[in-house]
Amino acid sequence: NLYSVIKMSKPSTKTSLLELQKIAKKINIKYYDEYLKKDLLKKVLLELERREKENKKVEKKYEVKEQLGNKGKEGKTFLVIDNKFKCEYAMKKFRSNKSGEKLLKEVSFQRKCSEVGISPKIVDFNISEKFIVMEQMDYHLTDEITFNGGLLSDKRQKELINIFQKLDKLKIFHGDANLLNYMVKDDKLYIIDFGMSDTINQKLTEKVKGKSINLNMEFMLLGFILKLKESNCPKESYKILKDYIPKEEVKRFSIL
């Protein structure tokens, strides 16, 4: 972890102010460039000590079993076991430089979506250690599409429409059309990864030049269909989805 890496450099009175500032920046100490060297050193050491204690608590609470899937844009996901209740969960571990504010925003969006049944439930999160623990899914939607020879079933298409409509009702624009952001558990479809999400308001609508406040039905749906086309999926994979796309868009992108 970050603490172990920085600990090896052994910040001390001999460490230069510039190096201390670099470390302070990495561990998100605010106004690090305004401290005197001795005060910044004290601040850094206290924060590293706090993180070490926090790490020990995390290691005691969860046992990491294996990595799930490939490394994503913001970090990795692991299969973990809660050592107290012996339950299996998925832990999304973010890069150390992800801001606490963005992590909290992602947690907030996913929790709202889980309450209406379209995202995995969050069971734990930690701002300083940069992780979210959530219920484990069974597999990615892409695995199912591949297994079915590139075909997306009518059932999944209807579930996608339901997900996008509920996102718009919650005023949450997901913002990432990657097909890997959809997973299945107990034969039900869920959407994951709210790292690029934002609140739907007039400012966002104007920014993305949306024609309505239903940005997920307007952009996410179209993006999903285009991803299917890029993957050479048969037209049956979006025969239901395309009925929700304006005719001019269907013609423009050859969604026939």
Side-chain angles (χ1 to χ4, degrees):
N1 54 44
L2 179 60
Y3 174 79
S4 301
V5 173
I6 296 176
K7 188 178 180 183
M8 292 175 63
S9 65
K10 298 179 181 180
S12 65
T13 53
K14 294 183 179 180
T15 306
S16 69
L17 177 59
L18 181 61
E19 189 61 31
L20 275 175
Q21 289 176 339
K22 288 181 180 179
I23 295 173
K25 184 178 180 181
K26 285 183 180 179
I27 59 178
N28 300 318
I29 291 179
K30 293 183 178 180
Y31 314 118
Y32 61 86
D33 55 346
E34 297 180 8
Y35 285 92
L36 294 174
K37 180 181 175 181
K38 64 176 182 177
D39 295 327
L40 183 59
L41 175 61
K42 183 178 180 180
K43 193 85 173 175
V44 166
L45 291 175
L46 284 173
E47 176 60 15
L48 292 178
E49 182 181 354
R50 184 192 69 78
R51 289 191 175 213
E52 182 181 31
K53 290 179 180 178
E54 192 66 42
N55 272 342
K56 288 179 180 179
K57 288 180 183 178
V58 172
E59 290 168 1
K60 186 177 180 180
K61 189 172 184 180
Y62 298 106
E63 178 185 352
V64 177
K65 300 299 291 184
E66 61 184 85
Q67 183 175 330
L68 299 173
N70 298 321
K71 182 179 180 181
K73 294 187 289 284
E74 292 195 305
K76 301 177 182 178
T77 301
F78 300 91
L79 172 65
V80 299
I81 295 180
D82 185 309
N83 288 322
K84 183 176 181 180
F85 299 104
K86 303 304 177 184
C87 298
E88 289 188 345
Y89 297 110
M91 175 187 281
K92 184 177 180 181
K93 192 77 170 69
F94 299 93
R95 297 194 309 268
S96 59
N97 62 353
K98 185 179 179 72
S99 75
E101 183 180 354
K102 288 184 178 179
L103 192 148
L104 279 175
K105 190 176 182 180
E106 187 164 340
V107 168
S108 175
F109 284 150
Q110 185 168 332
R111 278 187 164 165
K112 288 178 181 178
C113 290
S114 69
E115 289 172 1
V116 296
I118 60 173
S119 290
K121 293 179 181 177
I122 291 178
V123 297
D124 193 10
F125 69 94
N126 188 299
I127 296 176
S128 62
E129 291 305 312
K130 313 296 184 189
F131 71 75
I132 298 175
V133 178
M134 66 194 81
E135 63 176 321
Q136 184 188 2
M137 299 285 99
D138 294 334
Y139 54 84
H140 281 92
L141 178 61
T142 51
D143 296 330
E144 183 174 284
I145 293 173
T146 300
F147 182 80
N148 292 330
L151 181 65
L152 180 67
S153 68
D154 290 1
K155 176 184 177 180
R156 296 294 183 230
Q157 292 181 57
K158 292 175 182 177
E159 285 181 304
L160 277 165
I161 295 300
N162 175 61
I163 287 174
F164 295 147
Q165 289 177 336
K166 284 187 175 179
L167 282 169
D168 284 331
K169 190 173 182 180
L170 291 169
K171 298 190 182 303
I172 298 171
F173 179 49
H174 187 275
D176 188 352
N178 193 329
L179 295 181
L180 291 175
N181 290 330
Y182 304 88
M183 298 194 74
V184 177
K185 181 179 177 63
D186 297 331
D187 199 31
K188 181 181 177 182
L189 190 64
Y190 295 86
I191 190 167
I192 62 170
D193 196 347
F194 290 81
M196 295 178 66
S197 301
D198 208 347
T199 301
I200 297 176
N201 51 32
Q202 185 177 352
K203 182 179 180 181
L204 178 62
T205 304
E206 292 175 352
K207 180 180 178 181
V208 300
K209 295 180 173 57
K211 297 178 181 178
S212 72
I213 60 172
N214 300 318
L215 299 185
N216 294 285
M217 285 297 289
E218 185 176 343
F219 293 107
M220 288 292 290
L221 177 56
L222 177 60
F224 188 92
I225 294 174
L226 294 179
K227 290 291 184 181
L228 290 177
K229 282 176 61 67
E230 287 176 14
S231 301
N232 295 315
C233 293
K235 295 178 181 179
E236 289 79 12
S237 294
Y238 44 88
K239 68 178 182 181
I240 294 175
L241 301 178
K242 74 180 182 65
D243 289 340
Y244 293 84
I245 300 294
K247 291 182 179 179
E248 61 269 22
E249 298 295 306
V250 171
K251 183 178 181 181
R252 178 185 176 191
F253 293 101
S254 302
I255 305 171
L256 305 173

